[in-house]
Amino acid sequence: MSVTETTQPTLTQRLTRLLPLVVSAGLLTAIALHFDDWSLFSRVDPTLFAMAAAAALLLDSGVGALKWWWILRRLGQPLPLKTVWRMWTGLLPLTFFAPLQSGHLLYPLALVRGAGVPTAAAVESVIYDKLLSLVSTFALIAIGQLLLLPASHPLAHPLILIGALVPVCLWWFDGPLLAAVRRLGGRFSGLVAHSQLAKQPLTARDKAGLLLTGMVYQCSDSLSVWLGALALGLDLSPALAFGAFPLALLASYIPVTLSGFGIREPMTALVLGSSLTFSEGLAAGGLVDVLEYVLPAIFGLVCLPALLRAMATRRS
């Protein structure tokens, strides 16, 4: 094998890791060049910002850990909630910097090495947790379409409602879907066959509780954009914030940037354009970046050393 052949994969991996950072940096630079009202940030109300920060940390760290803990219990892994919270919170700074959503791979690793959870249960808990977060986002979009956005709003559209309801219904009525996957065979049928949750499906009560918990967790971003706008002195109704912003949140999941930086801000300006100017929307999106991603990552540093020690102890 030639030197080129041996070094090429390493070079590709390095470029792949750098891609989200480069894309985010490029998009944020373009946003900064077109932003024309920097005085907005000088008017931030410190009390409202502190309230928004406290709410974001409570939902992102506390409710997020509760959701994961509940799923682990249904998989037969009754870890103490305090242990799951420390693990979830300690992983926040690691996932913040990981490229292409790869930070989520650290979650099962932390469970296996840090808490002795079997690999299959650890992987399934993380997959189901991320699936639940995605379904919860779609549920919030559907609620926004049905209850919060007026019919005259540009984003109030039957196709958006249908597109949001379909994944929620597929998740809720997943029995026939899993049965069809088994009949088709192939790789996915093998995964379904080894799934603990497929063998012992969640009850309607469990699904309702998990979906509600997931929606509370996912609405943290909408709460941050509303409180952030208030802190900036902007007039943003809670109905618009909670009804429209989940669409921007969904767009930020596209795994081509660093934690959604560069996509979330213009999408925030776009979905809130009926109430805010473009620069005001960008500013509100910038505060969401700080409240939902930067501050939780900093807060997670408190739990990170203990998590790394626990993982190292298990590994050795």
Side-chain angles (χ1 to χ4, degrees), residues 51-102:
M51 291 173 55
L57 290 177
L58 175 63
L59 293 173
D60 293 338
S61 179
V63 179
L66 177 64
K67 175 167 57 75
W68 197 23
W69 170 80
W70 193 341
I71 294 170
L72 283 165
R73 288 182 65 86
R74 287 297 286 110
L75 286 167
Q77 305 299 321
L79 299 179
L81 179 57
K82 187 176 182 179
T83 298
V84 177
W85 176 81
R86 286 177 173 173
M87 191 172 296
W88 176 275
T89 305
L91 285 165
L92 290 176
L94 297 179
T95 55
F96 177 81
F97 291 105
L100 302 172
Q101 304 291 338
S102 61

Side-chain angles (χ1 to χ4, degrees), residues 16-21 23-24 27 98-104 134 249-261 263:
T16 300
R17 293 191 188 102
L18 286 175
L19 178 63
L21 178 60
V23 173
S24 286
L27 291 173
L100 302 172
Q101 304 291 338
S102 61
H104 298 308
L134 183 61
L249 178 62
L250 184 64
S252 70
Y253 293 159
I254 301 173
V256 294
T257 61
L258 183 66
S259 296
F261 286 90
I263 292 181

